[in-house]
Amino acid sequence: MSTQATTVHQTKWWSGGKSPFNMEYGKLMMWYFLMSDAFTFGAFLISYGSIRFSQNFWPDPNVVFNAFPGAGHANLPLAFVSVMTFILIISSVTMVLAVHAGHKGDKQGVIKWMIWTIIGGLAFLGCQAWEWHHLITGEHAVLVDGKIEMIGQNMRGNPWGAVVNGPEVTAALTNTSHETLMSLMHSANASVSHEKIAAMSDAELRAALSTAELHVREKGPVAFGGYFYGITGFHGFHVFSGVIINIVMLIMTQKNVFQNKGHYLMIEKAGLYWHFVDLVWVFVFLCFYLI
Amino acid sequence: MDLWIVSMALFVVSSLLGGLNYISTILNLRTKGMSMTRLPLTIWAMFFTAVLGVLSFPVLLSGLILLLFDRNLGTSFYLSDIVVNGEILPNEGGSAILFQHLFWFLGHPEVYIILLPAMGMVSEILSVNSRKPIFGYMAMLGSLFAITILAFLVWAHHMFVTGLNPFLGSIFVLLTLLIAVPSAIKVFNWLTTLWRGNIRFTPATLFAIGFVSLFISGGLTGIFLGNSTIDIHLHDTMFVVAHFHIVMGVASFFGMFAGVYHWFPKMFGRYLNSTLGYIHFWVTMIGSYLIFWPMHYQGLAGIPRRYLDKRGWVSFNDFPELDKMITIVSIIVFAMQLMFVFNFIYSIFKGRKVTSTNPWGANTLEWTTPIRPGHGNWPGEIPEVHRWPYDYSKDGREFIPQTEPIGENESKH
Amino acid sequence: MEHPAFEEVSFHHHTDDAEFKRRVKKTTILLSVITIIELAIGLFIYTLHKSDVNRDFLILGFKGLVCILTLAKAYYIVSVFMHLGDEIRNMIMTIVVPLMLFIWFIFAFIYEGNSYKNLRNTYDLHFKETTMPKKHGNAETHEVKPAEKSGKE
Ligand SMILES: [Cu+2]
């Protein structure tokens, strides 16, 4: 290491001896790492696009993502995901504030904003867990081989195909098993009690079910689930690691590590990573929920 | 297979971290006076190699993650209508071509990741040993840059016969053939660097010249293969094998050998044995051409690659004697490499000792360090750079190291 | 911080506190507004999908608009939150120029996906029959007899 500190401004940025970008080494590396990560996510999303364009049918996101915690079966398209998006945007803002507090060497400020950022990250992860859980366990009436089955959204099956129309549903109902009829009845008329449904015969059930209200669909493209879980999972993994990094940064701040070093550049690097996670979400949001 | 995928993922991560290090070091931590246009071409080549790696490996990583899902979690990214042992797999809706796209998005830049460092080293070695400045330094940089950019745009030329859309294929043909331009510039510059130079035929020089020769022969057949129509005939034949082994395999190995012979004194303070080096060069050079040249004819005759035994097909079995010859030569050439390994290990301990810090009379900084550099390479202050690294045979002086300040009445290069 | 903590960094960007707060506030509001517009468009597309009239072209236009809005969002996050806008021009270039590769990357992959669909629809009738949505809307399907539905367009 050179002992001779270059304090004088030089006009030639590129002639060596100091950073042409006026940027610390580690921060530059973080930027290029994020470039590389952008290509990983880009490749995921682009392959998703490629597969989507190779299908004749693709589910409408407004139909798939219409649930909200505590709202039961109410049809609230995009509501929950907008909450998730705002959580991430707000946590990004708190991160900016943490970085700014770091610039000023304000330890208490850094701690305060880092805690908010971490809370935002955890909240996002919680939302994502709920959404996954809802999609996997949710049961939807799907026409399979001439009969109706109740399936959830997973890696192998997709219940969000094209809508099946009345006469076909009626035909399919005659082949449908008793259990499925019962759960169909239950989801169509939540007011009817379980005992009452259990007492009904197949014929009664079929008669009671109105074909127009059943929303029976065909099986949709399988790749939908794979990409959705794959990409949001990979993004969630990034959020998770971002939260871990932020927690480590928080502890280090608490222990005066940065105070003693004289700068909070590590917070800045963690901040870059966190904003990147937000940035990726913007595109995930676009690709899966909006178009 | 899953373990292979995981190990590839680890490899991607490691190459990513290495690449980041190269990029930020070269951009951000140059010594005083070392402007970008004073960097040796070796470093420039390493820089572009790192850029290629950092931007293309992650795409492979994504592809591999999707593959891992397909294999273990029942997703259908790549699979559709697959029948295994008479049983139809439940997967549907995927596209196998997608995997090829993701794979070759890395796959093509990868050949340049292998080749660019060799190009950089060859440029340096040719200039040092012909005692002449490199011809067209800026053109060299420009062509490196062009190759890097184009390397990202041409991946599907490996996929002409997979069912790729023919229109898309034709764009890829165009972009692929464009690579010939920067490649030709580089070849031209190497040849003009050698032209009328005071060439010292060290083993390193020979290997560098061998690299240029192989790069020309292998590159020309690349133009054949870059055409989608010709590819219908030539794909998966021995022609392809010959092409990429010459240009990517043997040529980059030659670059590597040149580098090893050239920088061995720096690495271990001793020389590699030159006599063994000359034998190594000539046998490998002639041997490589004997192995791969005939394969072009085999490929043109339609002989496919990857066949263990061709005797069952009359049409594939036209050249049994040629196959035999290729096998014998490749055994000999392989033995030569063992001899090189022996030379390498032997010379580390018993080689002729280097007596001066700068045995080749080279300008670059590594030759200003002590014969056995310690931690931090230079004792004390790191050197300051005052000129580009190719001031050879200038103003009556054989070489002027980069650390020497520019004289008062020195002519411009 | 008057003197830089690193040798390679020779000056620091000074931002005045109030100015900074104002900028962050402005960007936050901007991002929120864009997100709300996007959501509105998303819901509008939903209603378009539900209606019986074929508005594919309009839907495509709105989807394009959403993409552009997303790019705007990305721009604000990167340039303000990540402070890329405050860096030296060359630094910005090293980030932006490689991103240009995505243009061809996206075009080629999507073109390829589309071409794969056409190939399969031409040569794989099973694929076509099982995945092609029956001609659009619920309105007309009631008239179609079950026998006519499969196979033909
Ligand atoms: Cu290639």
Side-chain angles (χ1 to χ4, degrees), chain A residues 20-64:
Chain A
F21 298 147
N22 194 42
M23 193 183 269
E24 186 249 345
Y25 183 83
K27 195 172 155 193
L28 194 64
M29 266 175 97
M30 179 51 98
W31 264 109
Y32 294 135
F33 165 72
L34 295 181
M35 275 303 290
S36 175
D37 220 17
F39 271 73
T40 317
F41 272 109
F44 274 135
L45 289 173
I46 291 167
S47 4
Y48 159 79
S50 183
I51 287 293
R52 183 168 170 174
F53 269 75
S54 76
Q55 301 293 329
N56 285 319
F57 177 85
W58 199 258
D60 180 3
N62 293 288
V63 174
V64 182

Side-chain angles (χ1 to χ4, degrees), chain A residues 4-220:
Chain A
Q4 194 184 3
T6 44
T7 42
V8 207
H9 278 252
Q10 283 192 350
T11 39
K12 283 188 176 172
W13 285 100
W14 286 92
S15 56
K18 61 182 152 35
S19 168
F21 298 147
N22 194 42
M23 193 183 269
E24 186 249 345
Y25 183 83
K27 195 172 155 193
L28 194 64
M29 266 175 97
M30 179 51 98
W31 264 109
Y32 294 135
F33 165 72
L34 295 181
M35 275 303 290
S36 175
D37 220 17
F39 271 73
T40 317
F41 272 109
F44 274 135
L45 289 173
I46 291 167
S47 4
Y48 159 79
S50 183
I51 287 293
R52 183 168 170 174
F53 269 75
S54 76
Q55 301 293 329
N56 285 319
F57 177 85
W58 199 258
D60 180 3
N62 293 288
V63 174
V64 182
F65 307 105
N66 66 349
F68 199 86
H73 291 287
N75 182 22
L76 298 166
L78 293 182
F80 191 54
V81 70
S82 52
V83 172
M84 289 167 76
T85 307
F86 277 111
I87 289 176
L88 219 49
I89 289 181
I90 297 305
S91 83
S92 221
V93 175
T94 56
M95 191 75 212
V96 173
L97 295 171
V99 171
H100 186 67
H103 273 302
K104 293 190 295 185
D106 169 13
K107 182 184 155 192
Q108 290 314 316
V110 172
I111 290 176
K112 181 174 91 184
W113 293 119
M114 284 304 274
I115 289 175
W116 280 115
T117 311
I118 291 166
I119 290 174
L122 290 174
F124 181 84
L125 284 175
C127 291
Q128 198 161 41
W130 184 86
E131 187 172 48
W132 275 40
H133 177 79
H134 177 80
L135 279 175
I136 294 170
T137 56
E139 294 206 311
H140 308 277
V142 174
L143 180 72
V144 186
D145 298 330
K147 56 179 193 295
I148 297 173
E149 281 177 17
M150 303 296 279
I151 60 172
Q153 168 70 67
N154 60 26
M155 295 284 211
R156 289 169 203 273
N158 175 350
W160 313 105
V163 175
V164 182
N165 49 64
E168 234 176 327
V169 175
T170 322
L173 275 175
T174 56
N175 305 327
T176 306
S177 72
H178 185 65
E179 286 75 45
T180 314
L181 283 175
M182 272 166 60
S183 46
L184 274 175
M185 187 66 199
H186 180 64
S187 61
N189 300 308
S191 57
V192 187
S193 72
H194 279 273
E195 294 77 38
K196 214 169 169 190
I197 295 177
M200 290 166 93
S201 73
D202 279 14
E204 280 172 327
L205 282 166
R206 278 181 202 120
L209 287 166
S210 122
T211 50
E213 279 168 23
L214 276 182
H215 301 297
V216 179
R217 294 176 172 275
E218 289 176 14
K219 274 188 137 181

